[in-house]
Amino acid sequence: MENMPKQDDTPASTTISFLNCIDLSTPDVQQSVSLLKQACLDCGFFYVTNHGISQEFMEEVFSQSKKFFELPLSEKMKVLRNEKHRGYTPVLDELLDPDNQIHGDYKEGYYIGVEVPEDDPEADKPFYGPNVWPADGILPGWRQTMEKFHQQALGVARAVARIIALALDLEADFFDKPEMLGHPIAVMRLLHYAGQISDPSKGLYGAGAHSDYGLITLLATDDVYGLQICKDKDAQPQVWEFVAPLKGAFVVNLGDMLERWSNCIFKSTLHRVLGNGQERYSIAYFVEPSHECLVECLPTCNSEKNPPKFPPIKCEAYLSQRYKDTHADLKVYNKH
């Protein structure tokens, strides 16, 4: 895999943020911990390379994602997002930054979560249940490809979480416990930006500014620029920097839950997507602990000078409230 981002198609007259790169194949764990900790204290974003998912399979997943989004809208609407937050989301369906967006996001997506049969008692929990799949006759092998990627990406997320644990002076297997990433809430989202040109001055965005709710997010992208980060959300005016695509790598960012868990030592970061007229594909993989996990100030993040800033809360209650705030139309989140 390449170690530096491509410079082709770099946006003109913009700032590019070059992130720390964590090589999951290196035996030098302390170097990885140091690089990750620096990234988490600086901007909450970093690259992960040599993660074990082959470039050939990554390309196959992107190819299959493209095949879905190229279907007629009438076909895609047959697998419209349901109350379990699974399935297709049309263009403009999501509004991430209502204070600054005139319309919803100029993107379409497809949610795939942990597959739990409908007759399984676990399926009653929010964020769990059977997935929605296109008919096999429409996209042969599509489901199998996406399920395989979901499983492999979870392995990458667990490897990253071990380095995060060490960076927070915890045992490496802290997040491996059954109540944490042993039985996680892991949601994969295929994303397609059709090529609209964003204009922040007019409130038009590929994806509005937001921070992610959960623990960490893995993002695989094609080679088209679009992702921007704002390292200081309180700055006026806010300064936005593009994140350069890195072939074969995941861009990883911290979520609000990890900021809360670490007592704000590690911070989640505002990010958004600007369209530049080019079609763009990406795959986001959102990782959270199990429903029953109690999110409370980590023992290594609590001191007299920095007492706990948030009360303990179960992961299910925390995520349900956050999703309810953004997706009031989804009945499942209004029940919890």
Side-chain angles (χ1 to χ4, degrees), residues 199-205:
D199 187 345
S201 69
K202 295 180 179 178
L204 303 176
Y205 299 88

Side-chain angles (χ1 to χ4, degrees), residues 155-167:
V156 177
R158 285 173 170 149
V160 172
R162 292 180 193 114
I163 303 175
I164 290 174
L166 292 171

Side-chain angles (χ1 to χ4, degrees), residues 21-36:
C21 191
I22 313 300
D23 181 349
L24 290 186
S25 69
T26 181
D28 190 347
V29 176
Q30 283 309 311
Q31 182 190 38
S32 296
V33 171
S34 177
L35 287 170
L36 183 143

